[in-house]
Amino acid sequence: MRFATIWGEAVVSGIREIATDIREIAIAPVGRPVARFRPGAHLDIALVIGERPDTRSYSLIGRPQGDGYRIAVKRRSDSRGGSQAMWRLTPGARLSISEPIDGFSLEPGRAAYLLVAGGIGVTPLVGVAEELGQAGADVRLVHTVHDETEAAYGEHLRVCLGERYRLHRSARDGRLDLAGLMASVPEHGVVAVCGPIAMLEGAKRAWAALGRAQTDLRWETFGSSGHLPTDAFNVRLPRLGREILVPASRSLLEALEEAGIEVISDCRRGECGLCAIDVLGCDGEVDHRDVFFSAHQKQEGRKLCACVSRALGTLTIDTAFRPD
């Protein structure tokens, strides 16, 4: 369950296309003012996916505005249904949304800031770049995309940062040199990364190799990106004598909850580790999609975050759940 989340009604006040398969959605709260939030905050949005109630988190674009909130959603064929549900929205649609939830802010006064975004991962960094740029901080933003058509908010970021904004087109420029980028950050500088899990893991390896303080590397993940396809898989719980099918459209955590097996959770984004469960075995391969466990812990394979991680084949687990 999510703790201390305040929900309220809202309406979709506008929709516009901002890049290939990326749509900006403006959302206005109903009956309450727009709440103030720190750049990098996100909204939780209640959706119906596959005829079941569900929740998805979306980063807020930019800084607070008087008329509502803005989010951007990439249409993904490999998602668990959230992007398709959001893309079906039309102006005037009613929603239930949370108050803004902070969690990706960067403190002022550091020696330098490097912001690295992969694709739609630029969304939480737009407001961060605006704030730091306006404050005169030494800030750079590198946005890696397949090609220029996917560069959401590129023109806006060029206005904010000028030459300190760099667009990396992997189709033309090849793989982004994360290690080189990290090494260019001066001592006591801060790096913030948002992108797919492979990018985050690469950034963490490069930062650790430099011997920098772990607290000076901040990150946020999509929550659904992984190394393996998002397919259905089976889960066995020997102690409970249960076997459960986890469909491609549901997370392991959701499938367990729907089967009446309670798991303590909070972020549901693979960041807090509260939903970690014991892995007893797997006859296929575990796809760790969290940013909570270290690379060594993932290699050991003793635990996984049920909210985002998946498997190919049959996964055997145990949980703290004890039936009455």
Side-chain angles (χ1 to χ4, degrees):
M1 61 184 292
R2 297 300 306 266
F3 300 113
T5 301
I6 301 173
W7 292 85
E9 296 303 308
V11 63
V12 175
S13 57
I15 295 175
R16 68 185 183 108
E17 313 294 323
I18 58 172
T20 299
D21 286 333
I22 299 177
R23 181 173 286 177
E24 183 184 271
I25 302 174
I27 300 173
V30 175
R32 56 177 177 166
V34 175
R36 296 197 61 78
F37 58 88
R38 295 281 299 150
H42 66 271
L43 283 181
D44 284 349
I45 299 179
L47 299 171
V48 176
I49 300 174
E51 300 182 353
R52 297 173 177 173
D54 212 330
T55 303
R56 292 291 187 270
S57 299
Y58 296 96
S59 297
L60 288 160
I61 306 300
R63 290 178 288 178
Q65 297 181 347
D67 56 351
Y69 310 111
R70 292 180 298 144
I71 62 172
V73 181
K74 181 177 177 63
R75 181 167 53 186
R76 301 175 61 93
S77 60
D78 62 346
S79 80
R80 293 188 290 109
S83 68
Q84 289 92 336
M86 294 298 293
W87 269 63
R88 286 194 292 269
L89 295 174
T90 57
R94 308 285 287 200
L95 293 171
S96 181
I97 65 171
S98 71
E99 289 282 343
I101 301 168
D102 290 330
F104 198 56
S105 299
L106 299 181
E107 69 275 11
R110 301 302 295 265
Y113 301 85
L114 172 65
L115 314 178
V116 184
I120 191 65
V122 74
T123 53
L125 299 178
V126 172
V128 176
E130 289 175 348
E131 183 175 73
L132 292 174
Q134 190 175 63
D138 179 1
V139 55
R140 293 176 291 152
L141 191 152
V142 178
H143 186 191
T144 178
V145 295
H146 178 70
D147 59 49
E148 204 162 47
T149 66
E150 299 178 349
Y153 302 107
E155 290 305 317
H156 175 70
L157 289 166
R158 286 189 185 95
V159 171
C160 292
L161 299 178
E163 294 183 355
R164 294 174 294 169
Y165 168 75
R166 171 186 159 200
L167 183 64
H168 180 92
R169 308 163 186 85
S170 60
R172 187 193 73 180
D173 305 325
R175 183 183 294 273
L176 181 67
D177 180 10
L178 272 174
L181 274 177
M182 299 291 182
S184 72
V185 178
E187 199 71 29
H188 306 302
V190 176
V191 176
V193 183
C194 184
I197 191 68
M199 171 181 278
L200 303 188
E201 291 178 346
K204 291 168 75 173
R205 287 193 300 269
W207 197 245
L210 291 169
R212 300 292 185 88
Q214 292 185 3
T215 53
D216 287 342
L217 175 64
R218 319 292 171 80
W219 60 80
E220 186 167 297
T221 180
F222 298 158
S224 61
S225 63
H227 299 285
L228 303 175
T230 303
D231 293 335
F233 64 100
N234 290 316
V235 174
R236 291 176 181 157
L237 296 96
R239 184 175 54 79
L240 301 178
R242 302 283 301 275
E243 184 164 337
I244 299 167
L245 174 67
V246 182
S249 61
R250 311 297 281 174
S251 68
L252 170 57
L253 175 61
E254 291 164 342
L256 291 171
E257 290 175 333
E258 289 161 8
I261 300 169
E262 298 176 2
V263 179
I264 297 174
S265 66
D266 185 18
C267 76
R268 295 183 180 250
R269 294 155 61 90
E271 297 170 1
C272 73
L274 196 59
C275 68
I277 56 176
D278 294 330
V279 175
L280 304 182
C282 182
D283 66 5
E285 188 174 357
V286 176
D287 189 9
H288 291 281
R289 301 185 174 192
D290 66 276
V291 292
F292 176 77
F293 289 117
S294 68
H296 176 70
Q297 289 171 312
K298 291 178 180 180
Q299 188 174 21
E300 282 186 329
R302 295 179 182 177
K303 288 183 178 291
L304 60 73
C305 288
C307 64
V308 292
S309 295
R310 306 185 67 82
L312 292 181
T314 297
L315 180 69
T316 304
I317 64 170
D318 194 14
T319 75
F321 177 71
R322 297 294 185 271
D324 295 334

